[in-house]
PDB file of all heavy atoms in Angstrom:
ATOM      1  N   HIS A   1       0.840  -1.202  -0.009  1.00 94.00           N
ATOM      2  CA  HIS A   1      -0.001   0.006   0.010  1.00 94.00           C
ATOM      3  C   HIS A   1       0.865   1.264   0.005  1.00 94.00           C
ATOM      4  O   HIS A   1       0.568   2.248  -0.672  1.00 94.00           O
ATOM      5  CB  HIS A   1      -0.928   0.014   1.190  1.00 94.00           C
ATOM      6  CG  HIS A   1      -1.986  -1.034   1.168  1.00 94.00           C
ATOM      7  ND1 HIS A   1      -2.748  -1.304   0.043  1.00 94.00           N
ATOM      8  CD2 HIS A   1      -2.442  -1.884   2.125  1.00 94.00           C
ATOM      9  CE1 HIS A   1      -3.611  -2.267   0.319  1.00 94.00           C
ATOM     10  NE2 HIS A   1      -3.435  -2.644   1.574  1.00 94.00           N
ATOM     11  N   LEU A   2       1.938   1.233   0.780  1.00 94.00           N
ATOM     12  CA  LEU A   2       2.847   2.393   0.837  1.00 94.00           C
ATOM     13  C   LEU A   2       3.392   2.714  -0.539  1.00 94.00           C
ATOM     14  O   LEU A   2       3.408   3.881  -0.951  1.00 94.00           O
ATOM     15  CB  LEU A   2       3.972   2.093   1.821  1.00 94.00           C
ATOM     16  CG  LEU A   2       5.098   3.161   1.889  1.00 94.00           C
ATOM     17  CD1 LEU A   2       4.559   4.462   2.439  1.00 94.00           C
ATOM     18  CD2 LEU A   2       6.242   2.644   2.757  1.00 94.00           C
ATOM     19  N   ASN A   3       3.817   1.706  -1.276  1.00 93.00           N
ATOM     20  CA  ASN A   3       4.337   1.923  -2.613  1.00 93.00           C
ATOM     21  C   ASN A   3       3.274   2.541  -3.521  1.00 93.00           C
ATOM     22  O   ASN A   3       3.572   3.443  -4.317  1.00 93.00           O
ATOM     23  CB  ASN A   3       4.836   0.617  -3.228  1.00 93.00           C
ATOM     24  CG  ASN A   3       6.229   0.287  -2.803  1.00 93.00           C
ATOM     25  OD1 ASN A   3       7.145   1.082  -2.945  1.00 93.00           O
ATOM     26  ND2 ASN A   3       6.414  -0.881  -2.221  1.00 93.00           N
ATOM     27  N   ALA A   4       2.033   2.102  -3.393  1.00 94.00           N
ATOM     28  CA  ALA A   4       0.948   2.667  -4.204  1.00 94.00           C
ATOM     29  C   ALA A   4       0.704   4.127  -3.824  1.00 94.00           C
ATOM     30  O   ALA A   4       0.501   4.981  -4.695  1.00 94.00           O
ATOM     31  CB  ALA A   4      -0.320   1.842  -4.023  1.00 94.00           C
ATOM     32  N   PHE A   5       0.701   4.430  -2.526  1.00 94.00           N
ATOM     33  CA  PHE A   5       0.420   5.777  -2.087  1.00 94.00           C
ATOM     34  C   PHE A   5       1.505   6.783  -2.494  1.00 94.00           C
ATOM     35  O   PHE A   5       1.206   7.909  -2.871  1.00 94.00           O
ATOM     36  CB  PHE A   5       0.187   5.840  -0.584  1.00 94.00           C
ATOM     37  CG  PHE A   5      -1.179   5.389  -0.158  1.00 94.00           C
ATOM     38  CD1 PHE A   5      -1.347   4.397   0.765  1.00 94.00           C
ATOM     39  CD2 PHE A   5      -2.324   5.987  -0.698  1.00 94.00           C
ATOM     40  CE1 PHE A   5      -2.611   3.975   1.160  1.00 94.00           C
ATOM     41  CE2 PHE A   5      -3.596   5.587  -0.307  1.00 94.00           C
ATOM     42  CZ  PHE A   5      -3.733   4.581   0.611  1.00 94.00           C
ATOM     43  N   VAL A   6       2.777   6.400  -2.406  1.00 93.00           N
ATOM     44  CA  VAL A   6       3.819   7.354  -2.764  1.00 93.00           C
ATOM     45  C   VAL A   6       3.816   7.683  -4.251  1.00 93.00           C
ATOM     46  O   VAL A   6       4.232   8.757  -4.645  1.00 93.00           O
ATOM     47  CB  VAL A   6       5.248   6.918  -2.321  1.00 93.00           C
ATOM     48  CG1 VAL A   6       5.372   6.854  -0.831  1.00 93.00           C
ATOM     49  CG2 VAL A   6       5.689   5.659  -2.975  1.00 93.00           C
ATOM     50  N   HIS A   7       3.303   6.765  -5.058  1.00 93.00           N
ATOM     51  CA  HIS A   7       3.230   7.006  -6.505  1.00 93.00           C
ATOM     52  C   HIS A   7       1.947   7.731  -6.904  1.00 93.00           C
ATOM     53  O   HIS A   7       1.745   8.017  -8.077  1.00 93.00           O
ATOM     54  CB  HIS A   7       3.361   5.703  -7.265  1.00 93.00           C
ATOM     55  CG  HIS A   7       4.728   5.106  -7.186  1.00 93.00           C
ATOM     56  ND1 HIS A   7       5.101   4.286  -6.162  1.00 93.00           N
ATOM     57  CD2 HIS A   7       5.803   5.254  -7.969  1.00 93.00           C
ATOM     58  CE1 HIS A   7       6.372   3.925  -6.330  1.00 93.00           C
ATOM     59  NE2 HIS A   7       6.825   4.509  -7.428  1.00 93.00           N
ATOM     60  N   ASN A   8       1.085   8.032  -5.959  1.00 93.00           N
ATOM     61  CA  ASN A   8      -0.193   8.714  -6.219  1.00 93.00           C
ATOM     62  C   ASN A   8      -0.003  10.199  -5.969  1.00 93.00           C
ATOM     63  O   ASN A   8       0.302  10.623  -4.846  1.00 93.00           O
ATOM     64  CB  ASN A   8      -1.267   8.130  -5.282  1.00 93.00           C
ATOM     65  CG  ASN A   8      -2.629   8.703  -5.554  1.00 93.00           C
ATOM     66  OD1 ASN A   8      -2.785   9.840  -5.983  1.00 93.00           O
ATOM     67  ND2 ASN A   8      -3.648   7.920  -5.287  1.00 93.00           N
ATOM     68  N   GLY A   9      -0.212  11.012  -6.988  1.00 88.00           N
ATOM     69  CA  GLY A   9      -0.009  12.471  -6.874  1.00 88.00           C
ATOM     70  C   GLY A   9      -0.962  13.165  -5.934  1.00 88.00           C
ATOM     71  O   GLY A   9      -0.750  14.291  -5.534  1.00 88.00           O
ATOM     72  N   ASP A  10      -2.068  12.491  -5.567  1.00 92.00           N
ATOM     73  CA  ASP A  10      -3.053  13.094  -4.669  1.00 92.00           C
ATOM     74  C   ASP A  10      -2.713  12.863  -3.195  1.00 92.00           C
ATOM     75  O   ASP A  10      -3.420  13.326  -2.305  1.00 92.00           O
ATOM     76  CB  ASP A  10      -4.446  12.510  -4.930  1.00 92.00           C
ATOM     77  CG  ASP A  10      -4.980  12.898  -6.296  1.00 92.00           C
ATOM     78  OD1 ASP A  10      -4.564  13.944  -6.824  1.00 92.00           O
ATOM     79  OD2 ASP A  10      -5.788  12.151  -6.865  1.00 92.00           O
ATOM     80  N   VAL A  11      -1.641  12.106  -2.950  1.00 93.00           N
ATOM     81  CA  VAL A  11      -1.259  11.754  -1.570  1.00 93.00           C
ATOM     82  C   VAL A  11       0.186  12.147  -1.332  1.00 93.00           C
ATOM     83  O   VAL A  11       1.033  12.051  -2.204  1.00 93.00           O
ATOM     84  CB  VAL A  11      -1.407  10.221  -1.363  1.00 93.00           C
ATOM     85  CG1 VAL A  11      -0.954   9.820   0.039  1.00 93.00           C
ATOM     86  CG2 VAL A  11      -2.826   9.784  -1.618  1.00 93.00           C
ATOM     87  N   LYS A  12       0.464  12.600  -0.105  1.00 94.00           N
ATOM     88  CA  LYS A  12       1.841  12.889   0.319  1.00 94.00           C
ATOM     89  C   LYS A  12       2.082  12.135   1.615  1.00 94.00           C
ATOM     90  O   LYS A  12       1.459  12.429   2.626  1.00 94.00           O
ATOM     91  CB  LYS A  12       2.009  14.392   0.516  1.00 94.00           C
ATOM     92  CG  LYS A  12       3.418  14.827   0.808  1.00 94.00           C
ATOM     93  CD  LYS A  12       4.289  14.698  -0.419  1.00 94.00           C
ATOM     94  CE  LYS A  12       5.365  15.747  -0.400  1.00 94.00           C
ATOM     95  NZ  LYS A  12       5.819  16.102  -1.686  1.00 94.00           N
ATOM     96  N   VAL A  13       2.979  11.160   1.599  1.00 95.00           N
ATOM     97  CA  VAL A  13       3.304  10.387   2.797  1.00 95.00           C
ATOM     98  C   VAL A  13       4.320  11.195   3.598  1.00 95.00           C
ATOM     99  O   VAL A  13       5.403  11.504   3.113  1.00 95.00           O
ATOM    100  CB  VAL A  13       3.871   9.000   2.468  1.00 95.00           C
ATOM    101  CG1 VAL A  13       4.233   8.238   3.726  1.00 95.00           C
ATOM    102  CG2 VAL A  13       2.860   8.204   1.626  1.00 95.00           C
ATOM    103  N   LEU A  14       3.940  11.557   4.834  1.00 96.00           N
ATOM    104  CA  LEU A  14       4.821  12.389   5.668  1.00 96.00           C
ATOM    105  C   LEU A  14       5.568  11.616   6.722  1.00 96.00           C
ATOM    106  O   LEU A  14       6.605  12.050   7.196  1.00 96.00           O
ATOM    107  CB  LEU A  14       4.003  13.494   6.349  1.00 96.00           C
ATOM    108  CG  LEU A  14       3.265  14.485   5.467  1.00 96.00           C
ATOM    109  CD1 LEU A  14       2.564  15.527   6.318  1.00 96.00           C
ATOM    110  CD2 LEU A  14       4.233  15.143   4.491  1.00 96.00           C
ATOM    111  N   ALA A  15       5.015  10.453   7.150  1.00 97.00           N
ATOM    112  CA  ALA A  15       5.633   9.731   8.243  1.00 97.00           C
ATOM    113  C   ALA A  15       5.283   8.249   8.190  1.00 97.00           C
ATOM    114  O   ALA A  15       4.234   7.876   7.665  1.00 97.00           O
ATOM    115  CB  ALA A  15       5.166  10.311   9.567  1.00 97.00           C
ATOM    116  N   VAL A  16       6.168   7.450   8.737  1.00 97.00           N
ATOM    117  CA  VAL A  16       5.941   6.013   8.879  1.00 97.00           C
ATOM    118  C   VAL A  16       6.222   5.628  10.336  1.00 97.00           C
ATOM    119  O   VAL A  16       6.949   6.337  11.041  1.00 97.00           O
ATOM    120  CB  VAL A  16       6.835   5.174   7.923  1.00 97.00           C
ATOM    121  CG1 VAL A  16       6.479   5.448   6.474  1.00 97.00           C
ATOM    122  CG2 VAL A  16       8.310   5.450   8.174  1.00 97.00           C
ATOM    123  N   CYS A  17       5.634   4.511  10.743  1.00 97.00           N
ATOM    124  CA  CYS A  17       5.818   4.064  12.125  1.00 97.00           C
ATOM    125  C   CYS A  17       5.816   2.542  12.148  1.00 97.00           C
ATOM    126  O   CYS A  17       4.941   1.898  11.573  1.00 97.00           O
ATOM    127  CB  CYS A  17       4.661   4.608  12.977  1.00 97.00           C
ATOM    128  SG  CYS A  17       4.668   4.016  14.681  1.00 97.00           S
ATOM    129  N   ASP A  18       6.790   1.972  12.839  1.00 97.00           N
ATOM    130  CA  ASP A  18       6.831   0.528  13.054  1.00 97.00           C
ATOM    131  C   ASP A  18       7.796   0.267  14.212  1.00 97.00           C
ATOM    132  O   ASP A  18       8.801   0.965  14.347  1.00 97.00           O
ATOM    133  CB  ASP A  18       7.307  -0.205  11.804  1.00 97.00           C
ATOM    134  CG  ASP A  18       6.863  -1.652  11.803  1.00 97.00           C
ATOM    135  OD1 ASP A  18       7.294  -2.414  12.696  1.00 97.00           O
ATOM    136  OD2 ASP A  18       6.077  -2.033  10.923  1.00 97.00           O
ATOM    137  N   VAL A  19       7.489  -0.723  15.030  1.00 96.00           N
ATOM    138  CA  VAL A  19       8.375  -1.056  16.135  1.00 96.00           C
ATOM    139  C   VAL A  19       9.607  -1.792  15.640  1.00 96.00           C
ATOM    140  O   VAL A  19      10.644  -1.797  16.325  1.00 96.00           O
ATOM    141  CB  VAL A  19       7.643  -1.867  17.231  1.00 96.00           C
ATOM    142  CG1 VAL A  19       6.566  -1.024  17.880  1.00 96.00           C
ATOM    143  CG2 VAL A  19       7.056  -3.147  16.673  1.00 96.00           C
ATOM    144  N   ASP A  20       9.523  -2.415  14.496  1.00 96.00           N
ATOM    145  CA  ASP A  20      10.653  -3.133  13.905  1.00 96.00           C
ATOM    146  C   ASP A  20      11.537  -2.131  13.177  1.00 96.00           C
ATOM    147  O   ASP A  20      11.117  -1.500  12.194  1.00 96.00           O
ATOM    148  CB  ASP A  20      10.152  -4.207  12.946  1.00 96.00           C
ATOM    149  CG  ASP A  20      11.266  -5.038  12.355  1.00 96.00           C
ATOM    150  OD1 ASP A  20      11.992  -4.501  11.483  1.00 96.00           O
ATOM    151  OD2 ASP A  20      11.416  -6.213  12.754  1.00 96.00           O
ATOM    152  N   THR A  21      12.767  -2.000  13.625  1.00 97.00           N
ATOM    153  CA  THR A  21      13.689  -1.009  13.061  1.00 97.00           C
ATOM    154  C   THR A  21      13.926  -1.208  11.592  1.00 97.00           C
ATOM    155  O   THR A  21      13.925  -0.247  10.810  1.00 97.00           O
ATOM    156  CB  THR A  21      15.035  -1.036  13.827  1.00 97.00           C
ATOM    157  OG1 THR A  21      14.785  -0.808  15.198  1.00 97.00           O
ATOM    158  CG2 THR A  21      15.974   0.039  13.304  1.00 97.00           C
ATOM    159  N   THR A  22      14.131  -2.442  11.153  1.00 96.00           N
ATOM    160  CA  THR A  22      14.409  -2.714   9.734  1.00 96.00           C
ATOM    161  C   THR A  22      13.233  -2.286   8.860  1.00 96.00           C
ATOM    162  O   THR A  22      13.410  -1.611   7.842  1.00 96.00           O
ATOM    163  CB  THR A  22      14.710  -4.208   9.530  1.00 96.00           C
ATOM    164  OG1 THR A  22      15.807  -4.561  10.364  1.00 96.00           O
ATOM    165  CG2 THR A  22      15.060  -4.497   8.091  1.00 96.00           C
ATOM    166  N   ARG A  23      12.026  -2.660   9.255  1.00 96.00           N
ATOM    167  CA  ARG A  23      10.853  -2.302   8.479  1.00 96.00           C
ATOM    168  C   ARG A  23      10.644  -0.775   8.464  1.00 96.00           C
ATOM    169  O   ARG A  23      10.308  -0.197   7.449  1.00 96.00           O
ATOM    170  CB  ARG A  23       9.586  -2.971   9.039  1.00 96.00           C
ATOM    171  CG  ARG A  23       9.524  -4.447   8.740  1.00 96.00           C
ATOM    172  CD  ARG A  23       8.271  -5.037   9.285  1.00 96.00           C
ATOM    173  NE  ARG A  23       8.148  -6.430   8.879  1.00 96.00           N
ATOM    174  CZ  ARG A  23       7.131  -7.201   9.196  1.00 96.00           C
ATOM    175  NH1 ARG A  23       6.142  -6.723   9.908  1.00 96.00           N
ATOM    176  NH2 ARG A  23       7.099  -8.446   8.775  1.00 96.00           N
ATOM    177  N   ARG A  24      10.811  -0.164   9.634  1.00 97.00           N
ATOM    178  CA  ARG A  24      10.631   1.296   9.744  1.00 97.00           C
ATOM    179  C   ARG A  24      11.611   2.034   8.831  1.00 97.00           C
ATOM    180  O   ARG A  24      11.202   2.924   8.076  1.00 97.00           O
ATOM    181  CB  ARG A  24      10.819   1.701  11.200  1.00 97.00           C
ATOM    182  CG  ARG A  24      10.601   3.185  11.448  1.00 97.00           C
ATOM    183  CD  ARG A  24      10.717   3.548  12.942  1.00 97.00           C
ATOM    184  NE  ARG A  24      12.031   3.246  13.519  1.00 97.00           N
ATOM    185  CZ  ARG A  24      12.261   2.261  14.389  1.00 97.00           C
ATOM    186  NH1 ARG A  24      11.301   1.463  14.800  1.00 97.00           N
ATOM    187  NH2 ARG A  24      13.488   2.075  14.836  1.00 97.00           N
ATOM    188  N   LEU A  25      12.867   1.690   8.887  1.00 97.00           N
ATOM    189  CA  LEU A  25      13.874   2.386   8.089  1.00 97.00           C
ATOM    190  C   LEU A  25      13.737   2.082   6.599  1.00 97.00           C
ATOM    191  O   LEU A  25      13.979   2.950   5.766  1.00 97.00           O
ATOM    192  CB  LEU A  25      15.275   2.041   8.599  1.00 97.00           C
ATOM    193  CG  LEU A  25      15.595   2.515  10.012  1.00 97.00           C
ATOM    194  CD1 LEU A  25      16.992   2.107  10.422  1.00 97.00           C
ATOM    195  CD2 LEU A  25      15.402   4.020  10.164  1.00 97.00           C
ATOM    196  N   ASN A  26      13.308   0.874   6.264  1.00 96.00           N
ATOM    197  CA  ASN A  26      13.063   0.527   4.882  1.00 96.00           C
ATOM    198  C   ASN A  26      11.909   1.349   4.306  1.00 96.00           C
ATOM    199  O   ASN A  26      11.981   1.856   3.187  1.00 96.00           O
ATOM    200  CB  ASN A  26      12.780  -0.977   4.745  1.00 96.00           C
ATOM    201  CG  ASN A  26      12.680  -1.407   3.291  1.00 96.00           C
ATOM    202  OD1 ASN A  26      13.375  -0.899   2.427  1.00 96.00           O
ATOM    203  ND2 ASN A  26      11.772  -2.315   3.025  1.00 96.00           N
ATOM    204  N   ALA A  27      10.834   1.478   5.069  1.00 96.00           N
ATOM    205  CA  ALA A  27       9.676   2.287   4.622  1.00 96.00           C
ATOM    206  C   ALA A  27      10.081   3.739   4.460  1.00 96.00           C
ATOM    207  O   ALA A  27       9.710   4.413   3.483  1.00 96.00           O
ATOM    208  CB  ALA A  27       8.538   2.150   5.621  1.00 96.00           C
ATOM    209  N   LYS A  28      10.846   4.261   5.397  1.00 97.00           N
ATOM    210  CA  LYS A  28      11.328   5.648   5.323  1.00 97.00           C
ATOM    211  C   LYS A  28      12.156   5.846   4.041  1.00 97.00           C
ATOM    212  O   LYS A  28      11.988   6.828   3.325  1.00 97.00           O
ATOM    213  CB  LYS A  28      12.171   5.968   6.557  1.00 97.00           C
ATOM    214  CG  LYS A  28      12.801   7.341   6.572  1.00 97.00           C
ATOM    215  CD  LYS A  28      13.599   7.531   7.845  1.00 97.00           C
ATOM    216  CE  LYS A  28      14.483   8.752   7.851  1.00 97.00           C
ATOM    217  NZ  LYS A  28      13.778  10.010   7.930  1.00 97.00           N
ATOM    218  N   LYS A  29      12.990   4.870   3.714  1.00 96.00           N
ATOM    219  CA  LYS A  29      13.826   4.943   2.506  1.00 96.00           C
ATOM    220  C   LYS A  29      12.965   4.920   1.253  1.00 96.00           C
ATOM    221  O   LYS A  29      13.233   5.683   0.300  1.00 96.00           O
ATOM    222  CB  LYS A  29      14.836   3.805   2.495  1.00 96.00           C
ATOM    223  CG  LYS A  29      15.787   3.839   1.306  1.00 96.00           C
ATOM    224  CD  LYS A  29      16.821   2.744   1.421  1.00 96.00           C
ATOM    225  CE  LYS A  29      17.808   2.657   0.274  1.00 96.00           C
ATOM    226  NZ  LYS A  29      17.640   3.468  -0.858  1.00 96.00           N
TER     227      LYS A  29
END
């Protein structure tokens, strides 16, 4: 879903949250 949202011009992803450091940093990247 994150990949779909960042490619959608009507949406701006400002923040991500996850307790798993690897997942959190990967999503941020």
Side-chain angles (χ1 to χ4, degrees):
H1 292 315
L2 174 65
N3 277 306
F5 280 125
V6 295
H7 290 88
N8 184 330
D10 294 333
V11 177
K12 186 71 150 207
V13 178
L14 300 182
V16 295
C17 175
D18 202 297
V19 295
D20 183 287
T21 303
T22 303
R23 287 181 174 181
R24 182 177 61 251
L25 295 179
N26 186 36
K28 177 180 169 70
K29 183 176 179 353

